[in-house]
Amino acid sequence: MKLLFVCTANRLRSPTAEAVFAGHPGLEVRSAGLDGACPRPLTDELVAWADSLFVMEQRHREKIRKRFRQALGDKPVVVLGIPDDYEFMQPELVALLKERVPRFLD
């Protein structure tokens, strides 16, 4: 299963999610950001690559649905509800990700 984690800047939340789930058997994971100046901006190719997308905030899902409608098709876009209040690999962020993501992996 190919998972794509998306946040605004691809510096804190989505790279943390990528790191947390990178070693899980049966998963391929990547991360990207919606800001054009981020290290790995979201592209049609990344959206097409993924089986499921996980976004941190509702506004991320809305932007993806508008900007990447064709590449997205009917793929699920899961809102994790994680605000931009955490540093990279902050234990509280890691705990939230481990709590909220696995229920969507069945």
Side-chain angles (χ1 to χ4, degrees), residues 3-19:
L3 308 181
L4 180 60
F5 294 97
V6 180
C7 67
T8 304
N10 190 230
R11 296 186 194 283
L12 305 173
R13 294 174 289 175
S14 60
T16 297
E18 181 178 12

Side-chain angles (χ1 to χ4, degrees), residues 13 20-21 56 80-83 85-86 90-103:
R13 294 174 289 175
V20 167
F21 293 99
M56 302 300 154
L80 296 173
I82 299 176
D85 297 337
Y86 303 96
Q90 184 174 334
E92 294 85 353
L93 174 56
V94 171
L96 280 172
L97 290 163
K98 287 182 175 180
E99 171 191 320
R100 296 183 183 178
V101 172
R103 70 183 102 174

Side-chain angles (χ1 to χ4, degrees), residues 1-102:
M1 177 178 258
K2 297 175 184 174
L3 308 181
L4 180 60
F5 294 97
V6 180
C7 67
T8 304
N10 190 230
R11 296 186 194 283
L12 305 173
R13 294 174 289 175
S14 60
T16 297
E18 181 178 12
V20 167
F21 293 99
H24 282 55
L27 295 182
E28 288 183 56
V29 296
R30 294 183 183 169
S31 66
L34 289 166
D35 183 358
C38 66
R40 189 181 309 145
L42 189 61
T43 62
D44 284 324
E45 292 77 21
L46 278 171
V47 173
W49 169 86
D51 295 316
S52 297
L53 287 80
F54 289 84
V55 299
M56 302 300 154
E57 301 173 41
Q58 180 68 34
R59 65 189 177 98
H60 298 145
R61 179 165 65 183
E62 292 165 10
K63 285 183 180 183
I64 290 170
R65 285 183 171 165
K66 286 179 185 172
R67 279 201 248 170
F68 299 96
R69 182 182 313 261
Q70 190 168 355
L72 183 62
D74 61 355
K75 294 177 187 187
V77 181
V78 177
V79 178
L80 296 173
I82 299 176
D84 195 7
D85 297 337
Y86 303 96
E87 295 299 320
F88 178 71
M89 294 303 289
Q90 184 174 334
E92 294 85 353
L93 174 56
V94 171
L96 280 172
L97 290 163
K98 287 182 175 180
E99 171 191 320
R100 296 183 183 178
V101 172

